[in-house]
Amino acid sequence: MTQDDRMKFAPEPYKIKMVEPMATLTKDERKKALATAGYNTFLIKSEECFIDILTDSGTNAMSDRQWAGLMMGDEAYGGSRNFYHLEETVRELFGFKYVVPTHQGRGAENILSSLTIKPGDYVPGNMYFTTTRFHQERNGATFRDVVIDEAHDPNRDDVPFKGNVDLKKFQALIDEVGAEKIPYICLAVTVNLAGGQPVSMENIRATSELAHKYGIKVMYDATRCVENAYFIKSREKGYENKSIKEIVHEMFSYGDGCTMSGKKDCLTNIGGFLCMNDQDLYTRATGMVVQFEGMPTYGGMAGRDMEAMAIGLRESMDEAYISHRVNQIRYLGEKLNSGNVPMVKPYGGHAIFIDARAFLDHLDQEADLPAQALSAAVYQYSGVRTMERGIVSAGRDNITGKNHHPKLETIRLTIPRRVYTYAHLDYVADSIIELYQRRHDISGLKWVYEPSVLRFFTGRFEPKNGELIKGY
């Protein structure tokens, strides 16, 4: 074996200093836990999961420096020094003038949507995200998808930046409704529901130019911006010798602000923030954060959490870390691909998205909820917890009440940062490959309880055929 072969998937760039036991439930115990949870993996207890890859949100392992930072928490009600450290860090790395802390990303989404959207507005974006669209629609806007068509095709593996905005679609929306009805374009970097797909710097620049030509703000969903920067560095000509820090700073230089969930690329377990360059918007945002979050110098976070976030944001831009992070996803993808498991390609930066429609080709999207069924089946078979990202997550149209029918019907295998090793991923891949061999034994699901909003979090189901996996 050559050195290049050995370094294809380099070892974890960290040492393990503390361990946490993992659950090892029997098949019967898993079946009972799943039934109790209404076949919704969100409702399974953490202690009932063997490998938990439901989400990478807040499930990160913090570093020794972050844990040390917790001991320096200034829990003053106003003017915490940890806020000023976070503010200084975000200003340096992102380049925005103003920072408003929030308890997590959806707190920032709520403030942004409430302050900028009026009934009848339209918000274009490069594919929807669940909570983002909810806040936009709750304030009276209509979301309009302007991502390139290839983003909706799981089999197109020849497009390196499937998260790109289709400028013709964006222009068509402007022509249709008028720029005055578009308060901002929501530019996600990376695009979660497309499979963690990145946006090129060229497309970011072009989107910014088009938006600003019409006085439309560019507001990023910056949740996984470091992963996006890594893909720019590795895939876009002219950036191979740029640092991750330089690329992140340039990305945001073309925009007007961002929402950020600190629970992802900030490597923390809680927290978020809203950034902007507009002073009037900042003043109104601080007024709103007082009403719903807390003081403008903590916004729903403890001082220690802000300190950990400031440290983690810098650590996330370390190239050894982010290279390993993205290569863990690629490793899992290549293992699953060897077993012919259908997936969204190219592999993204935070998760593998299995194509549930192709995996369970005997099930109907509307009638059988294949992604929900597959996510439940993976847990019952292996103890691995994953997440549905299909028709259940897409929800219903506010006007017609009918289900949205996303072209991508997937389950998401989301890898927490600095938590699992390649050996854990081997178990995940081997289990799913085995399940794929008996995929036609998996039953569809039907609704037992359907919440009116964000139904994927707390909805409940049951197998249509009496048992989820025939004979298992």
Side-chain angles (χ1 to χ4, degrees):
M1 181 182 290
T2 67
Q3 183 181 17
D4 287 344
D5 290 333
R6 289 195 301 272
M7 294 305 291
K8 180 180 179 182
F9 295 108
E12 287 75 15
Y14 49 81
K15 295 185 291 185
I16 297 170
K17 187 174 290 189
M18 183 175 68
V19 297
E20 177 183 348
M22 295 164 59
T24 52
L25 275 64
T26 65
K27 177 178 69 174
D28 288 341
E29 288 172 332
R30 294 196 301 271
K31 291 175 71 173
K32 181 180 179 181
L34 187 60
T36 300
Y39 295 86
N40 185 343
T41 55
F42 276 95
L43 302 180
I44 298 170
K45 295 178 181 177
S46 172
E47 61 192 27
E48 295 169 337
C49 300
F50 179 48
I51 295 178
D52 194 349
I53 51 176
L54 179 81
T55 182
D56 62 334
S57 179
T59 56
N60 311 298
M62 292 200 300
S63 69
D64 51 357
R65 289 171 176 80
Q66 286 178 291
W67 280 103
L70 294 183
M71 301 306 296
M72 299 181 66
D74 174 8
E75 308 307 339
Y77 191 80
S80 166
R81 65 172 175 268
N82 307 122
F83 166 73
Y84 294 110
H85 182 201
L86 175 62
E87 180 185 54
E88 175 188 23
T89 302
V90 174
R91 282 177 171 173
E92 175 190 339
L93 299 179
F94 286 16
F96 296 118
K97 294 179 182 178
Y98 305 109
V99 183
V100 179
T102 59
H103 74 283
Q104 61 182 61
R106 71 191 61 169
E109 291 173 345
N110 178 41
I111 293 172
L112 176 64
S113 299
S114 298
L115 294 179
T116 61
I117 292 172
K118 62 184 183 299
D121 279 349
Y122 290 78
V123 179
N126 50 343
M127 200 172 286
Y128 84 98
F129 185 67
T130 52
T131 60
T132 312
R133 188 176 69 185
F134 167 75
H135 286 296
Q136 292 164 354
E137 291 179 344
R138 189 176 73 85
N139 286 281
T142 298
F143 172 79
R144 188 68 65 87
D145 188 358
V146 294
V147 76
I148 59 174
D149 290 340
E150 293 88 340
H152 295 284
D153 185 348
N155 300 312
R156 286 296 302 271
D157 62 356
D158 59 336
V159 182
F161 293 100
K162 285 173 80 173
N164 280 358
V165 170
D166 185 323
L167 300 176
K168 292 181 180 179
K169 291 181 182 179
F170 187 18
Q171 180 69 63
L173 177 64
I174 297 170
D175 294 340
E176 175 190 346
V177 305
E180 67 279 0
K181 286 192 174 183
I182 305 175
Y184 63 91
I185 180 171
C186 182
L187 185 59
V189 286
T190 58
V191 182
N192 188 346
L193 296 187
Q197 301 296 329
V199 184
S200 72
M201 192 73 81
E202 179 183 24
N203 187 254
I204 291 172
R205 266 194 305 269
T207 300
S208 173
E209 289 173 4
L210 180 56
H212 290 152
K213 174 182 175 182
Y214 291 95
I216 299 168
K217 292 185 182 299
V218 177
M219 302 299 292
Y220 296 87
D221 177 346
T223 298
R224 297 180 179 89
C225 60
V226 180
E227 293 169 13
N228 199 94
Y230 177 84
F231 284 120
I232 289 175
K233 180 178 176 68
S234 58
R235 295 179 183 176
E236 190 164 358
K237 186 177 180 180
Y239 288 91
E240 57 274 5
N241 296 319
K242 297 279 188 180
S243 70
I244 297 296
K245 179 180 176 181
E246 289 172 326
I247 295 171
V248 167
H249 198 276
E250 182 180 344
M251 283 166 49
F252 291 136
S253 72
Y254 302 115
D256 301 285
C258 73
T259 60
M260 182 70 173
S261 170
K263 299 165 70 176
K264 284 86 167 178
D265 273 353
C266 292
L267 301 175
T268 51
N269 306 124
I270 198 66
F273 51 81
L274 172 65
C275 293
M276 68 284 288
N277 289 326
D278 185 289
Q279 186 175 20
D280 176 66
L281 180 59
Y282 169 69
T283 301
R284 291 188 294 131
T286 55
M288 190 171 176
V289 80
V290 169
Q291 297 175 54
F292 295 101
E293 299 272 343
M295 284 289 287
T297 50
Y298 72 85
M301 281 188 286
R304 55 184 174 270
D305 295 323
M306 291 188 285
E307 188 66 23
M309 186 181 294
I311 296 169
L313 191 53
R314 291 188 184 279
E315 290 183 351
S316 72
M317 297 191 192
D318 175 76
E319 302 207 9
Y321 154 76
I322 189 58
S323 176
H324 174 264
R325 161 71 175 159
V326 175
N327 278 318
Q328 273 202 319
I329 311 303
R330 185 164 63 92
Y331 178 85
L332 178 57
E334 291 188 8
K335 288 278 291 188
L336 289 166
N337 193 59
S338 70
N340 299 314
V341 175
M343 292 169 287
V344 173
K345 296 178 180 177
Y347 311 129
H350 71 293
I352 291 296
F353 286 69
I354 293 178
D355 184 351
R357 198 196 301 265
F359 195 112
L360 301 179
D361 56 6
H362 59 292
L363 299 185
D364 177 77
Q365 184 183 40
E366 172 83 19
D368 299 312
L369 314 177
Q372 190 71 41
L374 181 56
S375 184
V378 168
Y379 172 79
Q380 180 174 310
Y381 191 78
S382 64
V384 175
R385 176 159 64 167
T386 64
M387 177 192 293
E388 183 272 356
R389 278 298 181 233
I391 192 170
V392 173
S393 290
R396 294 184 181 273
D397 185 279
N398 282 345
I399 298 173
T400 67
K402 294 182 179 180
N403 283 314
H404 291 294
H405 291 87
K407 293 181 180 179
L408 293 177
E409 178 78 12
T410 66
I411 69 167
R412 193 179 80 180
L413 282 57
T414 330
I415 310 305
R417 295 162 183 80
R418 303 189 296 203
V419 172
Y420 293 120
T421 67
Y422 289 119
H424 293 109
L425 303 185
D426 286 338
Y427 177 84
V428 172
D430 291 343
S431 299
I432 292 175
I433 290 170
E434 287 178 15
L435 186 61
Y436 185 62
Q437 302 309 312
R438 57 183 304 173
R439 58 192 178 278
H440 293 117
D441 292 336
I442 299 174
S443 166
L445 295 179
K446 60 183 178 181
W447 286 100
V448 173
Y449 164 64
E450 181 183 350
S452 59
V453 296
L454 298 175
R455 61 187 185 177
F456 61 93
F457 282 125
T458 57
R460 302 182 73 85
F461 312 85
E462 64 181 23
K464 297 182 72 174
N465 296 337
E467 58 179 344
L468 179 62
I469 307 174
K470 183 180 179 181
Y472 187 83

